[in-house]
Amino acid sequence: MHICVLLLGCLSGIAQGVYGGDSCQLMVKFIPDSVYRAGDLVIGGLFPVHVKAPQPELEYQREKVNASCEIFHQRAYRWLQAMIFAVEQINNNTDFLPNFTLGYLAADTCLAESSTLSAAMALVTGQDVYLENSECGSVPTVPVIVGDSRTSASITVANTLGVFDIPMVSYLASCGCLSDKRRYPLFFRTMASDAAEAKAMAELLRLMGWTWVGLVSADDDFGRFGIQMLMEALRGTDVCVAYYEIIPKDYAKTTMQRIVKNIQKSTARVVVAFLIDLDAKVLFEEVVEQNVTDKQWIASDAWATYSGISVPRNLPSLAGTIGFALRRADIPGLGPFLTRLNPNLSTTDPFLTELWETLFGCSLSAGLGRKLCSGSEDIETGKSVYADVSQLRITYNVYKAVYAIAHAIKEMLSCEPGKGPFSEGQCPDVQKLQPVQIAHYLRHVNFTTPLKEWINFDQNGDPPASYDIINWHVTAQGAGQFVTVGHFMSSQMSDGQFHIDMERVVWGGGSRHRVPVSVCSSPCPPGTRKAVQKGRPVCCFDCLPCADGEISNTTGSSECIRCPERFWSNSNHTVCIPQQVDFLSFSDTMGIILSIVSAVGTALTAATFATFLHYRHTPLVRANNSEVSFMLLVSLKLCFLCALAFIGQPVAWSCMLRHSLFGISFVLCISCLLSRTVVVLVAFRFTLPGQNLMRYVGPAQQRLGISICTLVQVLICVLWLSLAPPQPAERDSVDNWGPKIILECATGSVVGFSLVLGYIGLLACLCLLLAFLARKLPDNFNEAKLITFSMLIFCAVWVAFVPAYISSPGKYTVAVEIFAILASTYGLLFCIFAPKCFILLLRPEKNTKKHLMAR
């Protein structure tokens, strides 16, 4: 049959005349590019049976005569035959549409917007009718169209046919832009939106850890909107785009070479190609020519199962390609239906001759320089792209589109008068059917196909998305094989469910076990964070170590996490560990040494005590007031033992014990020395003839003086411990190994602590002064001289203690204090008692009253 093709200059007249009844002058021509069967309702179809449209006459002075489309597309012709098969199957089922017959009128679009629009306009304005000087307001003979295959052409046709309220059901146009019901209210499709495929691609990139990818699309709406959807799906993820190349429609050789060179030199191993099959074929011809074999290709549904690309010559570059394909289906009876054709039996199909000549490489007409076809050749199933029914995906979409229209008509025919969906419950009049009425029923179709798949359209006219994940394998014979390795399904209720069998995947380059790595920068190891390189995408970064006190315990951390209070980072900055608690413990080396020194001092003091006790009746011991000597030795032992109270973890009782024991022990010790010094001075300096001052410094008076001096310190300590006692405290400190918590005893009251130390210092200075005055006593009675020397050591130690105490960090502060206690105590012990023990033990001959009173 012939279709009347309208020139674009008359479109405005049609738009005015359909509803207003105005007439217009139409210039038409006839082209034999359609397949027709009459019926009670004729379904239109748009298929790119040819892929190259004739060049238009740009001067608009004359018609271009004998212009025809070129390059027969077997795959698209199979789609056309699938539409015919579905219509015939429905008509043969008398229970489906009883007493109602579907017809079809399918036209060739030549894969160009202009020819697609011309064919669509011819479908809706009548067939085999010469329209010059005719009325433009006639009812369209085709109230619904299956098509088109391309997004750009679908947009053009939908915008134009919207004037006529003609619904369209596309089988391949996937642009997300077509989901906009404000612009395309009558557009439906059995092909899922690119938005779903973009989500699937984004999920694949995320799952595989491919954060540095290249993008390629064609210069059309399908490619541009597809890439836009993918970028939106990638927003908020770690995936960055290394480059974006656009393939021009003229396929200029220099441009294709430049695009492939950019792909080859890029560090991005993964390339996402949003292309239709023909654009992909041109791209990969150049890819193979430049021997690009190290890329992981991600295919859009339009070419993921295109056998015209998966030829042996291309497989070294394309083996391992992962693509998203429409659900594959096995349509019973379609194979024999495709192979039934014969040019000797059918004369109404204008494409059959070209199909036959393409399949068998012969000519049905003599004189063309090729062998003649007999017309009896056999179209073997699977031996050609046309007859290949192993990958029925887009073909199945065509099949579903026809069934969706049929189910809409079925619902329309079952409408009961008075219960219809239109005004006053009216039902559509089949004899005067309006396209917008079919659109109403299309919106509400909800059915199961003969292949048991549930089909409906959402509010945007889109079906549920379901993709097979296809992996390109190479067979033992070197042929390409499409292997399903996973699935992606999405619905209105969720973003999608993704499953892939990693064990079955062959990766780009032919590897089965190693997933390709496509990153701009290697993931930062734990203990580091990302620092984005200036002027580059966020996927390109340097790895900087975390600062002290911060960690990152995962690979690829963007930020380091600060450790909580009382925790610090380890040396690798991968985990927070409790901060080191620093105090002088008995297990420390220094604590052990000081404990030993303290114990030795205590033992020496005890030994001295025992020696003096043994020789308590000798002149040397009696001359030095043995009672005060024993009291002094007891105080020295307490001084040695109080050093141990400073070792160990500070607690409340130990803080109070250490300071009070320290203060009282040293006051008792110095009080004893002060008492002996006073006795010596009174005996040798202040005794005059006729005076008996010694009665005021007898043993009882000495005990009283020592007690009073000690009780003053006891009173100070009691007030201090009652009002503001020392308490355990924590102090933060930092050294070369990081911060630590210093456990120490806070003084509580600075005044109380100062009074304790000040009182000790006052007694020490007084004792030193008095002993200094008695330094020139007889040589054989050198008690004052020994006291003087011991007090000099005592004062020197504690004067040196102050700067050392202030400058010492952490537990060394306590160590300095213990050292001062032990040093001063050892000084007192050795200076006062060592000479006496020497005489008692080694020079007993000097332990006589005569020797002591020699001078």
Side-chain angles (χ1 to χ4, degrees):
M1 292 300 298
H2 296 76
I3 288 184
C4 305
V5 180
L6 308 180
L7 298 180
L8 296 180
C10 189
L11 290 178
S12 60
I14 295 176
Q16 296 172 0
V18 168
Y19 298 107
D22 297 336
S23 63
C24 63
Q25 295 287 323
L26 301 179
M27 297 297 295
V28 302
K29 65 175 182 177
F30 299 92
I31 55 174
D33 286 339
S34 62
V35 180
Y36 172 69
R37 172 180 171 168
D40 296 320
L41 185 144
V42 178
I43 300 175
L46 298 173
F47 301 94
V49 180
H50 293 85
V51 298
K52 186 176 181 180
Q55 295 297 320
E57 175 58 56
L58 300 180
E59 295 180 358
Y60 302 104
Q61 295 178 353
R62 62 185 183 279
E63 288 187 281
K64 193 167 185 178
V65 183
N66 297 327
S68 60
C69 300
E70 303 174 9
I71 309 178
F72 189 78
H73 193 194
Q74 298 183 47
R75 195 181 184 199
Y77 185 64
R78 188 212 307 149
W79 303 341
L80 186 151
Q81 288 295 324
M83 174 182 170
I84 296 174
F85 171 78
V87 171
E88 298 289 350
Q89 191 178 62
I90 293 169
N91 288 336
N92 291 334
N93 185 355
T94 56
D95 295 330
F96 193 92
L97 295 176
N99 302 319
F100 194 91
T101 303
L102 293 180
Y104 55 81
L105 178 56
D108 182 12
T109 65
C110 300
L111 205 68
E113 282 81 355
S114 59
S115 55
T116 301
L117 182 59
S118 297
M121 293 302 300
L123 292 179
V124 301
T125 55
Q127 60 191 18
D128 263 344
V129 180
Y130 191 80
L131 297 178
E132 186 170 359
N133 294 323
S134 67
E135 293 292 329
C136 295
S138 60
V139 177
T141 60
V142 173
V144 61
I145 292 177
V146 175
D148 182 53
S149 64
R150 297 177 64 218
T151 291
S152 300
S154 294
I155 292 174
T156 302
V157 174
N159 282 328
T160 304
L161 295 190
V163 176
F164 301 98
D165 292 329
I166 304 292
M168 298 174 59
V169 184
S170 176
Y171 52 87
L172 190 53
S174 58
C175 178
C177 57
L178 289 166
S179 298
D180 186 353
K181 291 295 102 176
R182 293 175 300 177
R183 295 182 59 189
Y184 312 105
L186 301 178
F187 183 86
F188 304 87
R189 53 185 165 188
T190 54
M191 175 72 181
S193 169
D194 284 339
E197 185 176 13
K199 290 179 182 178
M201 287 183 171
E203 180 65 15
L204 175 65
L205 297 177
R206 187 198 63 79
L207 183 66
M208 297 296 111
W210 293 330
T211 59
W212 190 236
V213 300
L215 304 180
V216 180
S217 77
D219 189 15
D220 55 22
D221 289 323
F222 170 73
R224 286 190 297 270
F225 282 105
I227 293 297
Q228 179 181 340
M229 290 288 184
L230 177 59
M231 289 184 173
E232 290 179 0
L234 293 176
R235 186 173 299 142
T237 68
D238 294 331
V239 182
C240 299
V241 176
Y243 58 83
Y244 175 30
E245 297 291 345
I246 299 177
I247 298 176
K249 284 302 181 180
D250 59 0
Y251 305 138
K253 182 67 174 178
T254 56
T255 303
M256 298 305 299
Q257 289 176 341
R258 177 190 59 78
I259 291 174
V260 174
K261 285 180 180 178
N262 289 342
I263 293 174
Q264 186 173 27
K265 71 180 182 181
S266 173
T267 57
R269 286 282 310 276
V270 176
V271 186
V272 179
F274 244 104
L275 303 168
I276 63 173
D277 48 6
L278 299 177
D279 295 332
K281 184 175 183 181
V282 175
L283 171 66
F284 293 123
E285 287 175 355
E286 187 62 35
V287 167
V288 171
E289 185 174 332
Q290 295 193 26
N291 194 29
V292 180
T293 59
D294 62 339
K295 301 299 181 182
Q296 174 67 56
W297 295 93
I298 308 297
S300 61
D301 50 36
W303 66 275
T305 57
Y306 182 39
S307 56
I309 300 178
S310 61
V311 295
R313 177 176 178 270
N314 295 347
L315 291 180
S317 296
L318 297 180
T321 294
I322 297 177
F324 293 86
L326 304 175
R327 179 193 171 191
R328 189 185 70 83
D330 296 318
I331 304 177
L334 180 61
F337 184 84
L338 295 176
T339 58
R340 83 194 187 287
L341 298 178
N342 190 297
N344 296 328
L345 301 178
S346 175
T347 59
T348 60
D349 188 339
F351 308 114
L352 183 55
T353 297
E354 196 167 359
L355 169 69
W356 210 262
E357 293 177 349
T358 301
L359 290 178
F360 302 109
C362 57
S363 175
L364 290 171
S365 302
L368 296 180
R370 293 189 296 176
K371 67 176 183 179
L372 287 175
C373 300
S374 65
S376 60
E377 291 86 358
D378 182 24
I379 305 176
E380 298 182 34
T381 303
K383 297 298 183 180
S384 62
V385 174
Y386 164 72
D388 182 8
V389 293
S390 63
Q391 297 290 332
L392 297 181
R393 301 178 188 274
I394 302 174
T395 304
Y396 183 47
N397 274 1
V398 176
Y399 183 81
K400 290 188 291 185
V402 175
Y403 264 90
I405 295 172
H407 274 274
I409 296 172
K410 181 179 180 180
E411 289 297 319
M412 180 181 67
L413 295 176
S414 63
C415 177
E416 298 180 12
K419 298 181 180 180
F422 304 110
S423 60
E424 298 180 357
Q426 294 182 0
C427 292
D429 185 353
V430 178
Q431 303 300 323
K432 299 179 180 180
L433 185 64
Q434 296 295 322
V436 71
Q437 295 172 327
I438 297 180
H440 169 80
Y441 284 99
L442 272 175
R443 292 188 183 96
H444 298 92
V445 294
N446 195 331
F447 66 97
T448 302
T449 69
L451 275 66
K452 308 303 180 184
E453 181 183 359
W454 173 67
I455 298 296
N456 75 323
F457 298 116
D458 64 13
Q459 67 273 17
N460 297 322
D462 297 330
S466 177
Y467 294 98
D468 290 339
I469 302 175
I470 302 299
N471 190 216
W472 289 24
H473 290 199
V474 180
T475 65
Q477 295 74 29
Q481 181 183 18
F482 303 132
V483 177
T484 301
V485 296
H487 304 278
F488 178 84
M489 298 182 64
S490 69
S491 65
Q492 302 177 39
M493 305 301 296
S494 65
D495 289 337
Q497 298 177 345
F498 194 98
H499 170 72
I500 184 170
D501 186 355
M502 303 290 287
E503 298 296 327
R504 301 181 61 193
V505 176
V506 174
W507 304 104
S511 173
R512 274 189 174 270
H513 306 291
R514 188 174 64 181
V515 179
V517 177
S518 185
V519 295
C520 182
S521 299
S522 298
C524 292
T528 62
R529 65 173 178 85
K530 297 178 183 178
V532 178
Q533 297 173 359
K534 187 176 181 180
R536 303 198 67 187
V538 294
C539 298
C540 302
F541 48 81
D542 298 317
C543 296
L544 301 181
C546 292
D548 291 337
E550 296 181 345
I551 65 163
S552 64
N553 52 13
T554 58
T555 300
S557 295
S558 299
E559 297 292 338
C560 295
I561 305 171
R562 178 160 292 280
C563 292
E565 189 177 357
R566 299 182 66 88
F567 284 82
W568 197 250
S569 57
N570 63 348
S571 57
N572 295 326
H573 297 277
T574 56
V575 64
C576 289
I577 57 177
Q579 287 186 10
Q580 180 183 353
V581 178
D582 193 28
F583 61 90
L584 187 62
S585 68
F586 287 100
S587 60
D588 289 342
T589 301
M590 186 173 297
I592 294 173
I593 293 174
L594 293 175
S595 298
I596 293 174
V597 173
S598 175
V600 170
T602 304
L604 290 175
T605 305
T608 303
F609 187 91
T611 301
F612 269 61
L613 183 64
H614 180 72
Y615 293 100
R616 62 184 180 278
H617 300 298
T618 62
L620 181 62
V621 175
R622 294 178 63 188
N624 290 296
N625 192 341
S626 59
E627 185 178 354
V628 176
S629 296
F630 289 131
M631 196 177 297
L632 178 58
L633 287 170
V634 171
S635 65
L636 289 175
K637 185 182 292 187
L638 291 176
C639 290
F640 279 119
L641 292 176
C642 82
L644 298 177
F646 286 83
I647 303 175
Q649 182 174 350
V651 292
W653 67 267
S654 66
C655 288
M656 291 188 288
L657 176 64
R658 67 174 59 173
H659 287 97
S660 56
L661 183 60
F662 160 70
I664 294 172
S665 299
F666 270 87
V667 165
L668 178 60
C669 176
I670 297 173
S671 297
C672 292
L673 292 177
L674 181 62
S675 174
R676 298 181 65 167
T677 305
V678 171
V679 171
V680 171
L681 283 175
V682 170
F684 290 92
R685 291 269 184 200
F686 302 105
T687 300
L688 300 175
Q691 295 182 348
N692 188 14
L693 296 179
M694 287 300 295
R695 67 177 182 272
Y696 298 111
V697 290
Q701 288 77 14
Q702 293 181 44
R703 287 194 296 271
L704 180 60
I706 292 172
S707 300
I708 292 174
C709 292
T710 304
L711 285 174
V712 172
Q713 185 73 305
V714 171
L715 179 61
I716 294 174
C717 290
V718 169
L719 291 175
W720 180 21
L721 298 181
S722 301
L723 300 178
Q727 293 291 336
E730 297 179 356
R731 176 169 56 87
D732 294 330
S733 178
V734 180
D735 57 17
N736 295 334
W737 294 273
K740 59 178 64 176
I741 299 174
I742 305 298
L743 294 184
E744 58 186 6
C745 287
T747 57
S749 171
V750 177
V751 175
F753 184 62
S754 301
L755 288 175
V756 169
L757 293 182
Y759 186 62
I760 294 174
L762 175 63
L763 293 181
C765 292
L766 181 60
C767 184
L768 175 61
L769 177 62
L770 295 179
F772 179 77
L773 295 176
R775 69 188 184 283
K776 294 184 179 181
L777 293 177
D779 292 343
N780 291 345
F781 197 92
N782 54 4
E783 181 74 9
K785 189 180 294 185
L786 296 178
I787 294 175
T788 302
F789 189 65
S790 65
M791 294 312 299
L792 284 174
I793 294 176
F794 183 89
C795 292
V797 168
W798 286 99
V799 169
F801 158 78
V802 175
Y805 182 86
I806 295 174
S807 61
S808 297
K811 61 186 178 183
Y812 298 102
T813 303
V814 180
V816 168
E817 190 170 359
I818 296 174
F819 177 79
I821 293 172
L822 294 177
S824 58
T825 307
Y826 269 105
L828 295 175
L829 178 64
F830 282 110
C831 290
I832 295 175
F833 291 99
K836 296 179 176 61
C837 289
F838 178 77
I839 294 174
L840 291 175
L841 298 176
L842 301 177
R843 294 290 187 268
E845 68 277 7
K846 294 183 178 182
N847 188 10
T848 62
K849 187 175 181 180
K850 179 180 178 181
H851 179 75
L852 294 175
M853 300 299 294
R855 295 184 59 185

